[in-house]
Amino acid sequence: MNGWTGTVLRVNLSDGGIKREPLDTVAARDYLGCRGLGTYYYIKEVREIVDPFSEANKIIFATGPLTGAMGTSTGRFQVVTRSPLTGTIGAANSGGYFGPELKYAGYDLIILEGKSKKPVYLYINNGDVELRDASAVWGLDTHSATDALTAETDPDAKVTCIGPAGERLALLANLINDKHRAPGRGGLGAVMGSKKLKAVVARGTRGVKVADKDAFLKAVKESRELLSANGVTSGGLPAYGTNVLVNILNQTGALPTRNFHEGYFPTADKVGGETLAAERMFRNKGCASCVINCGRVSWSQGKYAATGEGPEYESAWAFGPDCCVDDLDAVNKANFICNEYGLDTIGMGSTIAAAMDLYEMGVIDKETTGGAELRFGDADVMVSMVEAAAKGTGFGEILQHGSYRLGEKFGHTEVSMTSKKQEMPAYDPRGIQGIGLNYATSNRGACHVRGYTISPEVLGLPEKLDPESTAEKPAWVKAFQDLTAAVDSAGMCLFTTFALGAVPIAAQLAAATGVPYTGDEIVKIGERVWNMERLYNIKAGFSKKDDALPERMTGGEPVPGGPMQGRISHVPQMLDVYYEARGWDADGVPSQAKLKELGLEEKLI
């Protein structure tokens, strides 16, 4: 095959069985790969809604037809399973170098089923595949485990693993690949931990075949020119990383502060991308075939001294403004800890902010927290709580499971700034209406990268929208969600869409695979993926009532000051219009006409 390898690897962790199967080529054409094809296979494989930690659950690692093909920022892969944090379908996207390496080894997907009785890791070296004992690396952090596994296998191998958080089944546990990249959100690292699977180690040398080399190189060249001409992808992101957004969102009045009580943080610049680049950055860094290089290789100093990568904007916000902390060294240290122990930074910082909220409300005290005074603005306390959660000790034993479980335990879920029990990212939906609708309707719980309307609402790409307007937002949210689903499924980085639309993406896909994709067909694939995910969630018990934001956002607490003073989110008023735009009924269920239009098999769900 071209683009795809044509091979699926199936690994049974219960009995150690390993076999290769041909790829479903019809499904590949209709769902591409990564998020779309991975979710399609998961739903076909796991016919019932199962406990995420049960032996019946499966985990799928999926590459896309562009993964490793040296297109424009085509180094992505996805991990798909049922999320233990939210109960929704869980699909986590990551860059780095692991995805291309898995593709070069000759596999489009890995289906991991069953449950091992002892710690193991999967080692893939092209056609040689084996499950190996992982007792020696069980308990190690992600960096130490990666070093040990490459020393034991191949120094050029790429590793995706879990840290101690995943081993303990912490609901905020991430997988970590290449030491610093994360298939994040949803607690998918805990699913690996439940199966006693410490890591997947891949070494591949087979490359990727494309159908039309000349057409592919032409499409890539044209896309690179568009990316070079775009101020975000050629200027802001390479220079300052995603953390360039701290000051932009703060000036907008939509930088969530003090656990979303406020939308403006007076000293936000101290943890922003400009300050990081000037004072704590060694260099920038990109993923495989990256043309943007938004990554940061950085350090912290003083009592928080450490080195690592990041933080991304959402991480800097979660440990910074959301906790009212403006100490960049503390923020960097918290981020490094999460990478090493395998924790989701958005969820972790937001959970600590929720705990600070509870403390200042008088719901919890020093006796509850093990002596810590959880006050907003205390950098030492923030870092100490990250460490406690990373190790599962003291109050961290509660924090490691996210803000919803924290609020539930103490009878105050209103402090949990979540949708479908997943923490909202770093954009206040009271000041930016479209992103709030995207949070509420996201198929994996609150998520900014499933429909990044910040691009038009704040950055003005592809055109500037009024962030406070609601009239046009349902249609824009749908459009962004559908295109994003297609980009995720292709194996391409979302950041390319600041400059690229469906047509240049389709050109790369068509040349790589030989399938004559058009821009319209790519968008339709994205819509098909979105509706498939929606059907799974409905089967899992989700309904219209779950397409919601915390009451604090929708009227309980208008923004108290700053440029967006007095604003609330109007998600309840936009929801029915969004459903209509999607071709769903008033309860948010896809109509039979819509399913027929998309070619979704009724038997799929």
Side-chain angles (χ1 to χ4, degrees):
M1 295 183 71
N2 296 306
W4 301 281
T5 70
T7 303
V8 175
L9 182 65
R10 184 180 297 273
V11 179
N12 190 304
L13 297 167
S14 295
D15 62 19
I18 296 172
K19 62 181 179 179
R20 293 164 188 80
E21 301 171 358
L23 180 69
D24 182 336
T25 56
V26 174
R29 180 182 176 121
D30 290 345
Y31 296 92
L32 295 178
C34 284
R35 174 179 161 190
L37 192 61
T39 302
Y40 174 86
Y41 263 83
Y42 177 83
I43 292 173
K44 293 281 282 187
E45 292 274 329
V46 186
R47 300 302 301 172
E48 303 299 325
I49 302 299
V50 300
D51 184 324
F53 296 149
S54 70
E55 187 171 0
N57 195 22
K58 301 186 183 186
I59 311 173
I60 296 177
F61 281 59
T63 64
L66 291 181
T67 303
M70 302 308 291
T72 48
S73 299
T74 52
R76 315 299 291 189
F77 75 102
Q78 294 256 350
V79 180
V80 180
T81 188
R82 188 180 185 211
S83 165
L85 179 72
T86 65
T88 65
I89 190 69
N93 189 342
S94 188
Y97 293 83
F98 177 86
E101 199 74 16
L102 179 60
K103 188 83 168 286
Y104 299 154
Y107 304 101
D108 294 308
L109 300 98
I110 309 172
I111 300 172
L112 295 151
E113 56 194 17
K115 182 181 288 190
S116 177
K117 291 184 172 61
K118 64 178 183 179
V120 295
Y121 73 91
L122 180 67
Y123 178 40
I124 302 168
N125 186 349
N126 292 318
D128 297 325
V129 182
E130 60 180 316
L131 283 169
R132 291 185 173 183
D133 180 65
S135 299
V137 293
W138 194 259
L140 295 185
D141 65 63
T142 62
H143 291 196
S144 299
T146 296
D147 289 340
L149 290 169
T150 53
E152 186 175 302
T153 56
D154 187 312
D156 292 321
K158 303 299 182 286
V159 177
T160 296
C161 64
I162 58 172
E167 295 172 4
R168 292 194 312 274
L169 313 191
L171 296 184
L172 292 182
N174 277 352
L175 296 81
I176 300 290
N177 63 279
D178 303 295
K179 289 186 177 180
H180 307 284
R181 311 308 299 173
R185 316 305 313 272
L188 306 196
V191 179
M192 274 186 65
S194 74
K195 294 184 177 299
K196 291 290 193 293
L197 179 65
K198 178 67 175 180
V200 177
V201 182
R203 178 71 178 115
T205 59
R206 295 174 174 177
V208 177
K209 294 180 181 179
V210 298
D212 188 331
K213 180 180 177 181
D214 291 340
F216 184 70
L217 292 175
K218 179 176 181 291
V220 171
K221 180 176 182 293
E222 291 173 351
S223 290
R224 283 176 177 260
E225 289 171 351
L226 291 170
L227 289 161
S228 295
N230 181 278
V232 174
T233 53
S234 67
L237 286 174
Y240 304 117
T242 59
N243 207 14
V244 69
L245 289 165
V246 164
N247 288 318
I248 294 172
L249 268 296
N250 202 40
Q251 291 161 8
T252 303
L255 181 69
T257 300
R258 194 181 290 269
N259 196 32
F260 282 82
H261 284 292
E262 302 165 16
Y264 180 80
F265 189 46
T267 53
D269 179 63
K270 291 184 177 181
V271 296
E274 295 86 347
T275 302
L276 178 69
E279 300 180 7
R280 295 291 187 274
M281 190 175 90
F282 292 113
R283 59 183 175 86
N284 67 350
K285 181 179 179 180
C287 301
S289 76
C290 181
V291 295
I292 299 173
N293 297 303
C294 70
R296 314 284 92 181
V297 182
S298 55
W299 82 90
S300 53
Q301 63 187 35
K303 60 185 175 182
Y304 303 123
T307 59
E309 292 188 18
E312 302 291 341
Y313 166 58
E314 281 73 21
S315 308
W317 158 78
F319 298 123
D322 202 32
C323 293
C324 295
V325 170
D326 63 6
D327 186 325
L328 183 57
D329 290 311
V331 168
N332 285 0
K333 177 65 174 178
N335 177 71
F336 298 154
I337 293 169
C338 287
N339 285 346
E340 291 165 13
Y341 281 81
L343 279 171
D344 179 62
T345 54
I346 297 174
M348 189 71 263
S350 298
T351 300
I352 293 171
M356 290 174 168
D357 220 348
L358 288 173
Y359 189 89
E360 296 202 347
M361 290 165 60
V363 175
I364 60 176
D365 55 22
K366 289 173 63 175
E367 184 177 348
T368 313
T369 66
E373 294 188 38
L374 291 180
R375 299 195 182 280
F376 284 107
D378 192 321
D380 287 344
V381 164
M382 183 274 290
V383 173
S384 72
M385 288 298 103
V386 174
E387 291 176 331
K391 298 175 182 177
T393 58
F395 195 55
E397 190 174 357
I398 299 171
L399 298 176
Q400 67 180 335
H401 296 306
S403 65
Y404 188 86
R405 273 72 178 187
L406 169 72
E408 192 174 48
K409 180 175 180 63
F410 294 103
H412 286 275
T413 55
E414 74 274 11
V415 302
S416 175
M417 295 295 101
T418 56
S419 181
K420 301 180 180 73
K421 300 180 183 178
Q422 179 160 274
E423 287 74 15
M424 294 189 295
Y427 312 90
D428 195 321
R430 294 170 295 186
I432 308 173
Q433 296 298 322
I435 202 67
L437 181 60
N438 174 61
Y439 289 167
T441 58
S442 170
N443 287 330
R444 69 168 186 166
C447 179
H448 59 300
V449 291
R450 288 298 177 93
Y452 195 66
T453 60
I454 297 304
S455 187
E457 292 186 285
V458 176
L459 302 177
L461 294 170
E463 64 181 80
K464 186 69 173 75
L465 300 180
D466 179 356
E468 297 181 62
S469 172
T470 61
E472 74 277 33
K473 295 303 169 59
W476 276 89
V477 168
K478 175 190 180 297
F480 267 71
Q481 289 173 339
D482 291 347
L483 179 60
T484 298
V487 171
D488 285 350
S489 301
M492 181 179 283
C493 177
L494 176 63
F495 291 169
T496 61
T497 60
F498 286 121
L500 305 182
V503 172
I505 294 168
Q508 291 189 53
L509 280 165
T513 64
V515 179
Y517 291 116
T518 65
D520 288 343
E521 286 173 324
I522 293 305
V523 173
K524 186 64 69 176
I525 287 171
E527 187 179 10
R528 182 179 298 122
V529 171
W530 191 270
N531 278 266
M532 172 178 62
E533 293 170 336
R534 180 73 175 189
L535 290 174
Y536 177 87
N537 286 347
I538 291 170
K539 185 176 180 179
F542 289 86
S543 64
K544 182 176 184 176
K545 67 178 175 57
D546 300 298
D547 292 339
L549 298 182
E551 185 182 358
R552 185 175 296 177
M553 300 295 98
T554 55
E557 197 171 315
V559 180
M564 292 295 176
Q565 183 175 1
R567 308 308 195 274
I568 64 171
S569 170
H570 296 290
V571 162
Q573 291 74 34
M574 292 187 284
L575 195 59
D576 287 343
V577 182
Y578 170 83
Y579 287 171
E580 184 177 359
R582 281 225 165 267
W584 297 352
D585 68 20
D587 294 320
V589 178
S591 68
Q592 288 302 310
K594 174 55 66 175
L595 297 181
K596 183 177 180 180
E597 173 195 330
L598 296 174
L600 280 170
E601 308 169 77
E602 290 185 18
K603 63 182 181 181
L604 182 64
I605 302 295

